[in-house]
Amino acid sequence: SGDSKPEAGANGQASASDASMDTDKPQPSAESSDSKAAASTTPKDASNGANGSAESEAKPAGKSSQELMAASTRQATLAFKKLTTGLSSENSRLLKSFLALITKELANPSNEVREAAKACLAILVDVTKCNVTALLLPFRDRLLGPIFGKPLRALPHNMQIGNIDAITYCLSLDPPFLEINEELLRLLSEALALADAEDQALVNHPAQVRSNTVSLTHLRHVCIRMLTAAMVRPEFSDSKNTPTRARIISVFFKSLYHKSVEVVDAANDGLKQVLLQQQKLPRDLLQTGLRPILLNLSDYKRLTVASLDGLARLLQLLTNYFKVEVGRKLLDHMQQWANPQLLQAASEKSVEDMHEIKILVAILQVFHLLPSTAGVLLDDLVGSVVNLEVHLCRRESSPFRKPLFKFLNRYPTESVVYFIKRIDSPHYMRIFTHALNSPECGPLRDALVTQTPALIDLLREFCAKATSFSSGSKNSESADAEDGSDSMA
């Protein structure tokens, strides 16, 4: 896990990390300060508009999480009491019976039943103007008793998924419905172990892995979602939960390399939420999390589409932790994969399904996500694409252009100046004109407009050269005619 710090130079791992990442930099500020503030906002008033006096019970400064939870519970209890008091005795009885039913179904093993229960609650919130926390609170023990009563591993996979999904839903409620107590921490620890375990450890016999692939993937997915829901709770940021938070972050990193897109998306969202809360990740945790992807970068043969997609996701989250040397390394790998004989043979086939072409496209998809200083790679990157297209005999149908256009949009002014200087090269101009005609290249077109004076100078220079060439041709023809008449004479 992420508790141990890698030794410098051990099998080249630490040196590879140091060359490709910068762990001393602060967390990138790609997200706005408003988003960061939203991630750490305290729970709202329990009445959520149903009780006009809720504003007077806003969060007081200096109160503990237990006191805030107690205040939230009191508000929710009062809101539900006010709701039932305004109903007839029969309608009140029916409402309570219905809530008791759908509360229990929030942990149903069937995903369709759980979603139906949540939809019913959403309708009740709209009709009664009472928030979900207030509606569920009288029946909290009915829901949580069976969930906390048995360890997760003692249950079938579908029941584990139902229980975890119910807790995730409850953790996301605002005002808070669940208190971060020992029972919940035990369940989080169980879910953490499930998310961190290999598939073989989650079944009774290794032969059952294949037949349980769908349920195991879904189980891992809901575990990560619950861990994410817990991580964003302000009271979970307490120092006593630091070791658990570190393990959860480590599992998020590990899950980024999972073969399931569903699991990868959940882990990516979890890391995103963590980075909204924490200004900087611990160095040892960061190095442990990034080591698998950096080791794959050390050898071009180890590159896969999945690993390159994982690198792209990490760059979106941790751009300032990486160095531009990652791009240089990828350019070297492109040269290794761009075998001229292979590309020429592929020119007569459908290139989209070729493994080597997929790798090259996945490499190109990374460049626009590199740190802002990656503009220095413009010449090498465009030159590599030109070389690929020449050997592949592709122009506008080239699979390499869309990824390249993303990079050009990242540095529009530099790109326009670069291509204008190469206006005499047909290969470069084909790429440039194709980019300018592409709907997604608005920044490039805007940058071109700013270069109008340079274009006018180029046009004047071209006209001058054309006039000079025309005059030279006429003089040459006259001289040839005179020589001809002299020879005839």
Side-chain angles (χ1 to χ4, degrees), residues 409 412 435-436 438-448:
N409 279 336
L436 293 174
S438 298
E440 65 268 23
C441 287
L444 206 63
R445 290 189 290 273
D446 293 340
L448 181 63

Side-chain angles (χ1 to χ4, degrees), residues 416-417 420 445-460:
V416 167
V417 172
I420 286 177
R445 290 189 290 273
D446 293 340
L448 181 63
V449 172
T450 65
Q451 298 298 315
T452 302
L455 290 173
I456 292 174
D457 291 340
L458 274 175
L459 184 60
R460 286 173 177 166

Side-chain angles (χ1 to χ4, degrees), residues 252-315:
F252 286 165
F253 272 115
K254 178 181 177 180
S255 300
L256 283 177
Y257 312 115
H258 197 270
K259 56 189 174 183
S260 166
V261 176
E262 183 183 22
V263 172
V264 172
D265 286 341
N268 187 69
D269 183 62
L271 275 177
K272 189 182 297 183
Q273 295 300 324
V274 169
L275 292 169
L276 286 174
Q277 290 184 319
Q278 295 185 217
Q279 186 67 19
K280 189 175 180 180
L281 294 177
R283 181 183 175 88
D284 57 342
L285 194 61
L286 189 62
Q287 286 188 332
T288 303
L290 296 181
R291 182 181 294 128
I293 203 74
L294 295 176
L295 285 177
N296 284 335
L297 285 176
S298 64
D299 182 4
Y300 82 97
K301 293 180 181 178
R302 299 179 66 172
L303 289 181
T304 63
V305 173
S307 68
L308 289 165
D309 287 345
L311 174 60
R313 289 175 182 274
L314 285 171
L315 280 166

Side-chain angles (χ1 to χ4, degrees), residues 4-69:
S4 60
K5 193 169 181 179
E7 295 181 7
N11 297 325
Q13 294 175 5
S15 58
S17 302
D18 293 340
S20 305
M21 58 184 281
D22 191 347
T23 54
D24 294 327
K25 286 189 177 182
Q27 169 59 27
S29 57
E31 303 288 346
S32 65
S33 57
D34 292 339
S35 300
K36 293 181 180 179
S40 59
T41 303
T42 54
K44 296 178 183 177
D45 299 315
S47 59
N48 199 22
N51 190 338
S53 63
E55 291 297 327
S56 63
E57 295 193 39
K59 176 188 174 183
K63 279 201 172 186
S64 67
S65 59
Q66 290 82 1
E67 292 173 319
L68 292 172
M69 187 68 197

Side-chain angles (χ1 to χ4, degrees), residues 73-137:
T73 301
R74 286 195 300 271
Q75 290 179 7
T77 302
L78 289 173
F80 188 77
K81 185 177 181 181
K82 181 180 179 180
L83 170 64
T84 53
T85 302
L87 300 175
S88 65
S89 58
E90 179 63 14
N91 284 342
S92 177
R93 185 187 65 80
L94 288 173
L95 176 63
K96 290 178 181 178
S97 298
F98 182 62
L99 284 171
L101 172 66
I102 61 175
T103 299
K104 184 178 180 181
E105 298 306 332
L106 287 172
N108 193 286
S110 167
N111 182 61
E112 288 76 11
V113 175
R114 294 196 303 273
E115 293 304 316
K118 294 172 189 177
C120 289
L121 286 170
I123 294 172
L124 283 175
V125 168
D126 186 53
V127 172
T128 64
K129 309 303 178 188
C130 197
N131 60 63
V132 177
T133 299
L135 293 173
L136 292 182
L137 194 61

